[in-house]
Amino acid sequence: MDAPDAQATSPAEPVNQTPPAALSMRDVLRITIMRRLWYAQIVSNFGDFLALFAVIGVLTFKLHATAQQVTGVQISYQVPLAVLGILAGVFVDRWPLKRTLVSSDVLRGLLVLALIFSTQIWHYYAILAAISVVSCFFGPAQGVVIREAVPMHGLRSSNALMQQVMFIMRIIGPAAAGMLVAAFGPSVCYWLDAASFFASACFILSLSIHRSPTIHHHTIAEDRGAIAKIWHDMKQGLLFIVHHAALLFVILALASGMFVMGCFGPLIAVYVRDSIHAGNTIYGWASAMIGLGILSGINLLNTFGTKIRNTILVYTGLTGIAIGLVLLAAITQVWSTLLGDFIIGFSVAGIIIPAQTMIQQETPPVLMGRVGSTVMSCVFTAQILGLLLSGALAQVTGVRHVFAICAGMIVLLAAAGKIFMEPKQQTSAA
Protein backbone atom coordinates (compact mmCIF):
# COMPACT_ATOMS: atom_id res chain seq x y z
CA MET A 1 0.00 0.00 0.00
CA ASP A 2 2.98 2.30 0.50
CA ALA A 3 4.32 1.91 -3.04
CA PRO A 4 1.97 4.34 -4.75
CA ASP A 5 2.69 7.08 -2.21
CA ALA A 6 6.42 6.57 -2.52
CA GLN A 7 6.21 6.64 -6.27
CA ALA A 8 4.13 9.84 -6.21
CA THR A 9 6.65 11.65 -3.99
CA SER A 10 9.82 10.23 -5.47
CA PRO A 11 12.26 12.99 -6.49
CA ALA A 12 13.42 10.79 -9.36
CA GLU A 13 10.14 11.49 -11.14
CA PRO A 14 10.11 15.26 -11.72
CA VAL A 15 6.81 16.71 -12.87
CA ASN A 16 7.08 18.48 -16.21
CA GLN A 17 5.12 21.74 -16.01
CA THR A 18 6.04 22.84 -19.54
CA PRO A 19 2.92 23.03 -21.72
CA PRO A 20 3.05 20.90 -24.88
CA ALA A 21 4.15 22.59 -28.08
CA ALA A 22 1.37 23.66 -30.40
CA LEU A 23 0.55 21.15 -33.11
CA SER A 24 1.10 22.18 -36.72
CA MET A 25 -1.50 21.71 -39.46
CA ARG A 26 0.40 18.62 -40.62
CA ASP A 27 0.33 17.19 -37.08
CA VAL A 28 -3.40 17.82 -36.76
CA LEU A 29 -4.08 16.07 -40.08
CA ARG A 30 -2.49 12.92 -38.66
CA ILE A 31 -5.56 12.63 -36.43
CA THR A 32 -7.94 10.40 -38.40
CA ILE A 33 -11.16 12.15 -37.41
CA MET A 34 -9.75 15.57 -38.18
CA ARG A 35 -8.32 14.44 -41.52
CA ARG A 36 -11.62 13.00 -42.74
CA LEU A 37 -13.59 16.00 -41.50
CA TRP A 38 -11.16 18.12 -43.49
CA TYR A 39 -11.77 16.04 -46.62
CA ALA A 40 -15.52 16.40 -46.06
CA GLN A 41 -15.11 20.16 -45.63
CA ILE A 42 -13.18 20.44 -48.91
CA VAL A 43 -15.74 18.65 -51.07
CA SER A 44 -18.83 20.17 -49.45
CA ASN A 45 -17.49 23.75 -49.46
CA PHE A 46 -16.49 23.48 -53.11
CA GLY A 47 -19.94 22.20 -54.00
CA ASP A 48 -21.60 24.95 -51.95
CA PHE A 49 -19.83 27.75 -53.80
CA LEU A 50 -20.57 26.13 -57.16
CA ALA A 51 -24.28 26.04 -56.37
CA LEU A 52 -24.39 29.52 -54.80
CA PHE A 53 -22.74 31.26 -57.74
CA ALA A 54 -24.83 29.24 -60.19
CA VAL A 55 -27.97 30.50 -58.41
CA ILE A 56 -26.70 34.08 -58.53
CA GLY A 57 -25.96 33.68 -62.24
CA VAL A 58 -29.46 32.33 -62.95
CA LEU A 59 -31.13 35.13 -60.99
CA THR A 60 -29.01 37.82 -62.63
CA PHE A 61 -28.91 36.77 -66.27
CA LYS A 62 -31.92 34.50 -66.73
CA LEU A 63 -34.55 35.87 -64.34
CA HIS A 64 -33.21 39.46 -64.55
CA ALA A 65 -33.40 39.97 -60.78
CA THR A 66 -32.72 43.37 -59.23
CA ALA A 67 -29.72 44.05 -57.00
CA GLN A 68 -31.91 43.76 -53.91
CA GLN A 69 -33.28 40.41 -55.09
CA VAL A 70 -29.77 39.08 -55.66
CA THR A 71 -28.71 40.29 -52.20
CA GLY A 72 -31.77 38.44 -50.90
CA VAL A 73 -30.05 35.17 -51.82
CA GLN A 74 -27.45 35.77 -49.12
CA ILE A 75 -30.01 37.02 -46.63
CA SER A 76 -32.35 34.05 -47.17
CA TYR A 77 -29.45 31.73 -46.35
CA GLN A 78 -28.12 33.69 -43.39
CA VAL A 79 -31.37 34.52 -41.55
CA PRO A 80 -32.14 30.93 -40.38
CA LEU A 81 -28.55 30.56 -39.14
CA ALA A 82 -28.91 33.78 -37.17
CA VAL A 83 -32.39 33.11 -35.78
CA LEU A 84 -32.27 29.36 -35.12
CA GLY A 85 -28.61 29.08 -34.19
CA ILE A 86 -29.09 29.34 -30.43
CA LEU A 87 -31.93 26.81 -30.44
CA ALA A 88 -30.05 24.31 -32.62
CA GLY A 89 -27.24 24.01 -30.08
CA VAL A 90 -29.64 22.64 -27.48
CA PHE A 91 -30.40 19.65 -29.71
CA VAL A 92 -26.78 19.21 -30.81
CA ASP A 93 -25.80 18.76 -27.15
CA ARG A 94 -28.41 16.01 -26.83
CA TRP A 95 -28.34 14.18 -30.18
CA PRO A 96 -25.71 11.63 -31.32
CA LEU A 97 -23.02 13.57 -33.17
CA LYS A 98 -22.41 11.14 -36.03
CA ARG A 99 -26.11 10.74 -36.81
CA THR A 100 -26.59 14.51 -36.71
CA LEU A 101 -23.73 15.18 -39.14
CA VAL A 102 -24.64 12.45 -41.62
CA SER A 103 -28.36 13.30 -41.59
CA SER A 104 -27.56 16.97 -42.16
CA ASP A 105 -25.39 16.18 -45.17
CA VAL A 106 -27.95 13.84 -46.74
CA LEU A 107 -30.83 16.28 -46.24
CA ARG A 108 -28.84 19.17 -47.70
CA GLY A 109 -27.86 17.05 -50.69
CA LEU A 110 -31.53 16.27 -51.40
CA LEU A 111 -32.54 19.92 -50.97
CA VAL A 112 -29.87 21.07 -53.41
CA LEU A 113 -31.33 18.77 -56.06
CA ALA A 114 -34.61 20.69 -55.73
CA LEU A 115 -32.82 23.71 -57.25
CA ILE A 116 -32.87 21.88 -60.60
CA PHE A 117 -36.64 22.32 -60.76
CA SER A 118 -36.74 25.95 -59.55
CA THR A 119 -38.25 28.49 -61.94
CA GLN A 120 -39.17 31.45 -59.73
CA ILE A 121 -37.05 33.68 -57.49
CA TRP A 122 -38.97 32.66 -54.38
CA HIS A 123 -38.18 29.00 -55.13
CA TYR A 124 -34.47 29.73 -54.68
CA TYR A 125 -35.10 31.71 -51.50
CA ALA A 126 -37.18 28.90 -49.98
CA ILE A 127 -34.71 26.14 -50.86
CA LEU A 128 -31.66 28.07 -49.63
CA ALA A 129 -33.49 28.91 -46.40
CA ALA A 130 -34.30 25.20 -45.91
CA ILE A 131 -30.67 24.25 -46.51
CA SER A 132 -29.67 26.88 -43.96
CA VAL A 133 -32.04 25.42 -41.34
CA VAL A 134 -30.32 22.04 -41.68
CA SER A 135 -26.89 23.70 -41.59
CA CYS A 136 -27.80 25.15 -38.18
CA PHE A 137 -27.26 21.67 -36.75
CA PHE A 138 -24.25 20.62 -38.83
CA GLY A 139 -21.95 23.53 -37.89
CA PRO A 140 -22.16 23.22 -34.06
CA ALA A 141 -22.00 19.41 -34.26
CA GLN A 142 -18.81 19.60 -36.33
CA GLY A 143 -17.36 22.02 -33.77
CA VAL A 144 -18.09 19.55 -30.95
CA VAL A 145 -16.40 16.71 -32.86
CA ILE A 146 -13.27 18.79 -33.44
CA ARG A 147 -13.21 19.79 -29.77
CA GLU A 148 -13.46 16.14 -28.71
CA ALA A 149 -10.98 14.73 -31.26
CA VAL A 150 -8.18 17.32 -31.21
CA PRO A 151 -6.03 18.05 -28.12
CA MET A 152 -6.11 21.57 -26.72
CA HIS A 153 -2.69 22.44 -28.17
CA GLY A 154 -3.90 21.52 -31.66
CA LEU A 155 -7.16 23.46 -31.77
CA ARG A 156 -5.69 26.58 -33.36
CA SER A 157 -4.25 24.59 -36.27
CA SER A 158 -7.49 22.65 -36.72
CA ASN A 159 -9.51 25.87 -36.90
CA ALA A 160 -6.98 27.35 -39.32
CA LEU A 161 -7.32 24.30 -41.58
CA MET A 162 -11.10 24.56 -41.69
CA GLN A 163 -11.12 28.30 -42.33
CA GLN A 164 -8.41 27.97 -44.96
CA VAL A 165 -10.57 25.54 -46.94
CA MET A 166 -13.54 27.92 -46.89
CA PHE A 167 -11.61 30.93 -48.18
CA ILE A 168 -9.71 28.96 -50.83
CA MET A 169 -13.00 27.61 -52.14
CA ARG A 170 -14.44 31.13 -52.08
CA ILE A 171 -11.68 32.13 -54.51
CA ILE A 172 -11.89 29.02 -56.72
CA GLY A 173 -15.68 28.60 -56.65
CA PRO A 174 -16.81 31.61 -58.71
CA ALA A 175 -14.43 30.90 -61.59
CA ALA A 176 -15.28 27.19 -61.62
CA ALA A 177 -19.02 27.89 -61.44
CA GLY A 178 -18.79 30.40 -64.29
CA MET A 179 -17.03 27.92 -66.58
CA LEU A 180 -19.38 25.05 -65.71
CA VAL A 181 -22.53 27.13 -66.16
CA ALA A 182 -21.28 28.47 -69.51
CA ALA A 183 -20.42 24.99 -70.76
CA PHE A 184 -23.15 22.78 -69.28
CA GLY A 185 -25.75 25.02 -67.62
CA PRO A 186 -26.48 25.57 -63.90
CA SER A 187 -27.88 22.08 -63.27
CA VAL A 188 -24.42 20.52 -63.33
CA CYS A 189 -23.42 22.75 -60.40
CA TYR A 190 -26.45 21.56 -58.42
CA TRP A 191 -25.65 17.92 -59.16
CA LEU A 192 -22.04 18.42 -58.08
CA ASP A 193 -23.10 20.18 -54.88
CA ALA A 194 -25.49 17.35 -54.02
CA ALA A 195 -22.73 14.82 -54.74
CA SER A 196 -20.37 16.76 -52.48
CA PHE A 197 -22.83 16.50 -49.58
CA PHE A 198 -23.25 12.76 -50.11
CA ALA A 199 -19.45 12.37 -50.28
CA SER A 200 -19.12 14.33 -47.04
CA ALA A 201 -21.66 12.01 -45.41
CA CYS A 202 -19.61 9.00 -46.54
CA PHE A 203 -16.43 10.44 -45.01
CA ILE A 204 -18.22 10.99 -41.71
CA LEU A 205 -19.86 7.55 -41.79
CA SER A 206 -16.37 6.01 -41.84
CA LEU A 207 -15.52 7.66 -38.50
CA SER A 208 -15.91 6.38 -34.96
CA ILE A 209 -17.13 9.47 -33.12
CA HIS A 210 -17.43 9.61 -29.34
CA ARG A 211 -18.20 12.44 -26.97
CA SER A 212 -17.37 13.00 -23.32
CA PRO A 213 -19.58 10.96 -20.96
CA THR A 214 -20.55 14.13 -19.07
CA ILE A 215 -22.24 15.42 -22.18
CA HIS A 216 -25.30 13.29 -21.43
CA HIS A 217 -25.81 14.41 -17.83
CA HIS A 218 -28.46 17.08 -17.51
CA THR A 219 -29.78 18.68 -14.33
CA ILE A 220 -33.28 19.28 -15.66
CA ALA A 221 -36.11 17.67 -13.69
CA GLU A 222 -37.78 14.80 -15.51
CA ASP A 223 -41.27 16.20 -14.93
CA ARG A 224 -40.58 19.41 -16.87
CA GLY A 225 -42.19 19.88 -20.25
CA ALA A 226 -40.21 19.87 -23.48
CA ILE A 227 -40.33 23.65 -23.87
CA ALA A 228 -39.13 24.18 -20.30
CA LYS A 229 -36.21 21.81 -20.87
CA ILE A 230 -35.22 23.55 -24.10
CA TRP A 231 -35.40 26.97 -22.44
CA HIS A 232 -33.33 25.71 -19.49
CA ASP A 233 -30.61 24.42 -21.81
CA MET A 234 -30.58 27.62 -23.88
CA LYS A 235 -30.29 29.70 -20.72
CA GLN A 236 -27.36 27.60 -19.51
CA GLY A 237 -25.37 28.33 -22.66
CA LEU A 238 -26.22 32.05 -22.67
CA LEU A 239 -25.43 32.51 -18.97
CA PHE A 240 -22.07 30.80 -19.40
CA ILE A 241 -21.13 33.25 -22.15
CA VAL A 242 -22.41 36.31 -20.29
CA HIS A 243 -20.54 35.41 -17.10
CA HIS A 244 -17.29 34.52 -18.89
CA ALA A 245 -15.98 38.02 -19.61
CA ALA A 246 -13.07 37.05 -21.86
CA LEU A 247 -15.26 34.70 -23.90
CA LEU A 248 -17.93 37.37 -24.28
CA PHE A 249 -15.29 39.77 -25.57
CA VAL A 250 -13.91 37.47 -28.24
CA ILE A 251 -17.45 36.65 -29.43
CA LEU A 252 -18.22 40.38 -29.71
CA ALA A 253 -14.91 40.88 -31.50
CA LEU A 254 -15.71 38.08 -33.94
CA ALA A 255 -19.17 39.53 -34.57
CA SER A 256 -17.64 42.97 -35.16
CA GLY A 257 -15.24 41.57 -37.72
CA MET A 258 -18.09 39.84 -39.52
CA PHE A 259 -20.14 43.05 -39.42
CA VAL A 260 -17.34 44.86 -41.21
CA MET A 261 -17.11 42.07 -43.78
CA GLY A 262 -20.87 42.30 -44.28
CA CYS A 263 -20.56 46.04 -44.90
CA PHE A 264 -17.75 45.51 -47.38
CA GLY A 265 -19.73 43.28 -49.72
CA PRO A 266 -22.11 45.93 -51.02
CA LEU A 267 -19.98 49.03 -50.33
CA ILE A 268 -16.55 48.27 -51.74
CA ALA A 269 -17.84 48.44 -55.32
CA VAL A 270 -19.43 51.84 -54.64
CA TYR A 271 -16.22 53.02 -52.96
CA VAL A 272 -14.13 52.02 -55.99
CA ARG A 273 -16.55 53.77 -58.35
CA ASP A 274 -17.19 57.00 -56.43
CA SER A 275 -14.10 57.54 -54.27
CA ILE A 276 -11.20 56.40 -56.43
CA HIS A 277 -13.07 56.67 -59.76
CA ALA A 278 -11.98 53.24 -61.00
CA GLY A 279 -13.79 50.41 -62.75
CA ASN A 280 -14.42 46.68 -62.63
CA THR A 281 -10.76 45.68 -62.83
CA ILE A 282 -9.79 47.56 -59.67
CA TYR A 283 -12.98 46.36 -57.97
CA GLY A 284 -11.98 42.77 -58.74
CA TRP A 285 -8.48 43.32 -57.37
CA ALA A 286 -9.85 45.05 -54.25
CA SER A 287 -12.20 42.15 -53.51
CA ALA A 288 -9.43 39.63 -54.11
CA MET A 289 -7.08 41.44 -51.70
CA ILE A 290 -9.50 40.84 -48.83
CA GLY A 291 -9.49 37.10 -49.52
CA LEU A 292 -5.73 37.09 -50.02
CA GLY A 293 -5.26 38.92 -46.74
CA ILE A 294 -7.42 36.39 -44.86
CA LEU A 295 -5.54 33.43 -46.34
CA SER A 296 -2.16 35.03 -45.59
CA GLY A 297 -3.24 35.83 -42.05
CA ILE A 298 -4.47 32.31 -41.37
CA ASN A 299 -1.20 30.72 -42.49
CA LEU A 300 1.25 33.25 -41.03
CA LEU A 301 -0.49 33.53 -37.66
CA ASN A 302 -0.75 29.77 -37.35
CA THR A 303 2.97 29.44 -38.12
CA PHE A 304 4.46 32.36 -36.22
CA GLY A 305 1.77 33.24 -33.69
CA THR A 306 1.56 29.98 -31.77
CA LYS A 307 3.17 31.47 -28.66
CA ILE A 308 1.00 34.60 -28.63
CA ARG A 309 -2.06 34.61 -26.38
CA ASN A 310 -5.42 34.37 -28.10
CA THR A 311 -6.66 37.60 -26.51
CA ILE A 312 -3.59 39.51 -27.71
CA LEU A 313 -4.19 38.29 -31.25
CA VAL A 314 -7.83 39.40 -31.03
CA TYR A 315 -6.80 42.89 -29.85
CA THR A 316 -4.26 43.08 -32.65
CA GLY A 317 -6.84 41.92 -35.19
CA LEU A 318 -9.33 44.58 -34.08
CA THR A 319 -6.66 47.25 -34.26
CA GLY A 320 -5.64 46.10 -37.74
CA ILE A 321 -9.22 46.28 -39.01
CA ALA A 322 -9.50 49.82 -37.67
CA ILE A 323 -6.21 50.81 -39.36
CA GLY A 324 -7.39 49.39 -42.70
CA LEU A 325 -10.71 51.22 -42.45
CA VAL A 326 -9.03 54.52 -41.57
CA LEU A 327 -6.69 54.08 -44.54
CA LEU A 328 -9.68 53.65 -46.86
CA ALA A 329 -11.50 56.61 -45.35
CA ALA A 330 -8.50 58.97 -45.37
CA ILE A 331 -6.74 58.19 -48.67
CA THR A 332 -8.54 57.62 -51.96
CA GLN A 333 -5.87 56.04 -54.15
CA VAL A 334 -5.70 52.66 -55.83
CA TRP A 335 -2.65 51.58 -53.83
CA SER A 336 -4.25 52.58 -50.52
CA THR A 337 -7.44 50.72 -51.44
CA LEU A 338 -5.58 47.51 -52.19
CA LEU A 339 -3.39 47.87 -49.10
CA GLY A 340 -6.33 48.72 -46.84
CA ASP A 341 -8.32 45.73 -48.06
CA PHE A 342 -5.35 43.42 -47.53
CA ILE A 343 -4.82 44.75 -43.99
CA ILE A 344 -8.50 44.26 -43.16
CA GLY A 345 -8.49 40.70 -44.49
CA PHE A 346 -5.27 39.85 -42.65
CA SER A 347 -6.66 41.31 -39.43
CA VAL A 348 -9.96 39.44 -39.71
CA ALA A 349 -7.91 36.23 -39.75
CA GLY A 350 -6.29 37.45 -36.53
CA ILE A 351 -9.73 37.40 -34.93
CA ILE A 352 -11.38 34.33 -36.46
CA ILE A 353 -8.80 31.68 -35.55
CA PRO A 354 -7.93 32.83 -31.99
CA ALA A 355 -11.61 33.49 -31.16
CA GLN A 356 -12.70 30.03 -32.31
CA THR A 357 -9.78 28.41 -30.50
CA MET A 358 -10.48 30.25 -27.25
CA ILE A 359 -14.18 29.37 -27.43
CA GLN A 360 -13.30 25.68 -27.79
CA GLN A 361 -10.69 25.78 -25.03
CA GLU A 362 -12.80 27.65 -22.48
CA THR A 363 -16.17 25.96 -23.05
CA PRO A 364 -16.98 22.78 -21.07
CA PRO A 365 -17.85 19.83 -23.33
CA VAL A 366 -21.39 19.73 -21.92
CA LEU A 367 -22.05 23.24 -23.31
CA MET A 368 -20.05 23.05 -26.52
CA GLY A 369 -23.02 22.70 -28.87
CA ARG A 370 -24.97 25.56 -27.29
CA VAL A 371 -22.03 27.93 -27.13
CA GLY A 372 -20.93 27.07 -30.68
CA SER A 373 -24.43 27.63 -32.06
CA THR A 374 -24.75 30.92 -30.17
CA VAL A 375 -21.49 32.11 -31.71
CA MET A 376 -22.77 31.06 -35.14
CA SER A 377 -25.98 33.02 -34.52
CA CYS A 378 -24.02 36.13 -33.49
CA VAL A 379 -21.74 35.91 -36.53
CA PHE A 380 -24.55 35.62 -39.06
CA THR A 381 -26.63 38.26 -37.32
CA ALA A 382 -23.66 40.63 -37.61
CA GLN A 383 -23.26 39.80 -41.31
CA ILE A 384 -26.95 40.41 -41.97
CA LEU A 385 -26.84 43.73 -40.12
CA GLY A 386 -23.78 44.68 -42.15
CA LEU A 387 -25.62 43.90 -45.37
CA LEU A 388 -28.78 45.76 -44.33
CA LEU A 389 -27.27 48.78 -42.60
CA SER A 390 -24.36 49.49 -44.92
CA GLY A 391 -26.51 50.79 -47.75
CA ALA A 392 -28.70 52.91 -45.50
CA LEU A 393 -25.72 54.43 -43.66
CA ALA A 394 -23.88 55.09 -46.91
CA GLN A 395 -26.84 57.03 -48.30
CA VAL A 396 -26.93 59.26 -45.22
CA THR A 397 -23.23 59.76 -44.53
CA GLY A 398 -21.28 58.43 -47.54
CA VAL A 399 -19.20 55.26 -47.90
CA ARG A 400 -16.00 56.75 -46.47
CA HIS A 401 -17.85 57.95 -43.40
CA VAL A 402 -19.30 54.46 -42.88
CA PHE A 403 -15.75 53.07 -42.87
CA ALA A 404 -14.68 55.73 -40.35
CA ILE A 405 -17.67 54.99 -38.10
CA CYS A 406 -16.91 51.27 -38.17
CA ALA A 407 -13.28 51.99 -37.27
CA GLY A 408 -14.36 54.07 -34.27
CA MET A 409 -16.73 51.37 -33.03
CA ILE A 410 -14.02 48.72 -33.29
CA VAL A 411 -11.52 50.87 -31.36
CA LEU A 412 -14.11 51.38 -28.60
CA LEU A 413 -14.77 47.63 -28.45
CA ALA A 414 -11.05 46.85 -28.14
CA ALA A 415 -10.67 49.46 -25.39
CA ALA A 416 -13.70 48.13 -23.50
CA GLY A 417 -12.37 44.59 -23.73
CA LYS A 418 -8.98 45.64 -22.40
CA ILE A 419 -10.40 47.68 -19.53
CA PHE A 420 -13.39 45.66 -18.37
CA MET A 421 -12.97 42.08 -19.58
CA GLU A 422 -9.33 41.03 -19.51
CA PRO A 423 -8.81 41.90 -15.81
CA LYS A 424 -11.74 39.60 -14.93
CA GLN A 425 -10.11 36.81 -16.89
CA GLN A 426 -6.83 37.30 -15.02
CA THR A 427 -8.64 37.39 -11.66
CA SER A 428 -10.55 34.20 -12.38
CA ALA A 429 -7.38 32.51 -13.58
CA ALA A 430 -5.64 33.42 -10.37
Side-chain angles (χ1 to χ4, degrees):
M1 295 296 294
D2 295 332
D5 293 335
Q7 184 179 5
T9 58
S10 173
E13 297 282 346
V15 178
N16 184 13
Q17 299 293 336
T18 305
L23 297 179
S24 66
M25 291 185 185
R26 182 176 298 179
D27 294 331
V28 167
L29 285 176
R30 292 193 179 101
I31 302 171
T32 302
I33 292 179
M34 185 64 209
R35 184 171 62 253
R36 294 185 186 174
L37 282 177
W38 185 63
Y39 293 155
Q41 182 91 340
I42 290 173
V43 295
S44 63
N45 268 259
F46 181 66
D48 284 348
F49 282 109
L50 285 181
L52 176 61
F53 284 99
V55 167
I56 292 174
V58 169
L59 292 182
T60 304
F61 301 108
K62 184 177 179 180
L63 300 180
H64 305 289
T66 65
Q68 287 181 332
Q69 289 172 327
V70 174
T71 303
V73 171
Q74 285 182 288
I75 295 176
S76 65
Y77 183 80
Q78 292 176 351
V79 165
L81 291 166
V83 174
L84 299 178
I86 298 175
L87 180 63
V90 173
F91 296 97
V92 169
D93 279 336
R94 291 174 174 269
W95 291 345
L97 292 173
K98 185 174 180 177
R99 192 180 305 169
T100 301
L101 292 170
V102 172
S103 300
S104 297
D105 272 339
V106 172
L107 285 173
R108 288 186 295 176
L110 294 174
L111 286 168
V112 167
L113 291 177
L115 291 171
I116 297 172
F117 308 101
S118 300
T119 57
Q120 303 293 326
I121 293 176
W122 71 267
H123 293 167
Y124 294 97
Y125 287 177
I127 293 170
L128 290 174
I131 293 172
S132 177
V133 170
V134 180
S135 296
C136 287
F137 300 93
F138 184 90
Q142 184 186 62
V144 176
V145 173
I146 292 174
R147 169 66 176 79
E148 295 284 346
V150 179
M152 289 290 186
H153 55 290
L155 287 176
R156 187 181 290 185
S157 289
S158 65
N159 289 318
L161 274 170
M162 291 302 198
Q163 290 296 325
Q164 186 183 64
V165 168
M166 186 178 70
F167 288 110
I168 289 175
M169 294 307 165
R170 178 172 289 181
I171 294 172
I172 297 173
M179 290 187 293
L180 287 171
V181 170
F184 306 105
S187 294
V188 69
C189 293
Y190 307 149
W191 281 107
L192 288 173
D193 191 19
S196 75
F197 280 124
F198 298 144
S200 174
C202 291
F203 280 122
I204 296 170
L205 270 174
S206 67
L207 296 174
S208 177
I209 297 175
H210 304 285
R211 73 195 318 171
S212 300
T214 55
I215 207 78
H216 299 292
H217 296 308
H218 296 277
T219 59
I220 304 174
E222 291 297 328
D223 57 348
R224 288 191 180 183
I227 295 178
K229 291 180 180 181
I230 291 171
W231 170 245
H232 179 275
D233 282 6
M234 286 176 59
K235 190 166 66 172
Q236 274 189 321
L238 291 171
L239 288 176
F240 173 77
I241 293 172
V242 170
H243 291 114
H244 196 305
L247 203 59
L248 178 61
F249 167 68
V250 298
I251 292 172
L252 291 175
L254 185 59
S256 298
M258 294 303 102
F259 176 82
V260 170
M261 297 301 289
C263 287
F264 254 67
L267 291 187
I268 194 64
V270 179
Y271 175 85
V272 168
R273 183 193 67 192
D274 296 344
S275 296
I276 63 176
H277 308 292
N280 284 328
T281 301
I282 300 301
Y283 166 61
W285 279 105
S287 299
M289 291 303 287
I290 297 174
L292 181 61
I294 292 175
L295 282 176
S296 301
I298 288 173
N299 286 282
L300 290 176
L301 291 176
N302 193 65
T303 303
F304 301 106
T306 54
K307 298 184 181 299
I308 304 174
R309 286 170 45 205
N310 289 322
T311 50
I312 297 298
L313 289 175
V314 172
Y315 289 132
T316 306
L318 287 172
T319 303
I321 293 174
I323 291 172
L325 290 169
V326 169
L327 186 62
L328 292 174
I331 305 174
T332 55
Q333 300 291 330
V334 172
W335 68 265
S336 60
T337 301
L338 299 179
L339 179 60
D341 288 351
F342 180 84
I343 291 173
I344 290 171
F346 190 95
S347 302
V348 166
I351 295 176
I352 292 175
I353 304 305
Q356 288 181 332
T357 302
M358 188 171 174
I359 290 164
Q360 291 170 330
Q361 290 175 339
E362 298 292 329
T363 303
V366 71
L367 297 175
M368 192 64 219
R370 278 161 280 178
V371 172
S373 65
T374 301
V375 173
M376 180 180 69
S377 179
C378 292
V379 165
F380 282 99
T381 299
Q383 287 184 323
I384 293 170
L385 289 175
L387 283 169
L388 295 176
L389 295 179
S390 58
L393 285 174
Q395 284 185 345
V396 175
T397 64
V399 174
R400 292 168 64 189
H401 288 94
V402 172
F403 292 162
I405 292 170
C406 289
M409 292 172 57
I410 287 174
V411 169
L412 289 176
L413 175 63
K418 188 69 177 175
I419 295 171
F420 297 109
M421 295 184 177
E422 190 171 351
K424 292 183 181 179
Q425 182 191 19
Q426 291 173 347
T427 300
S428 62

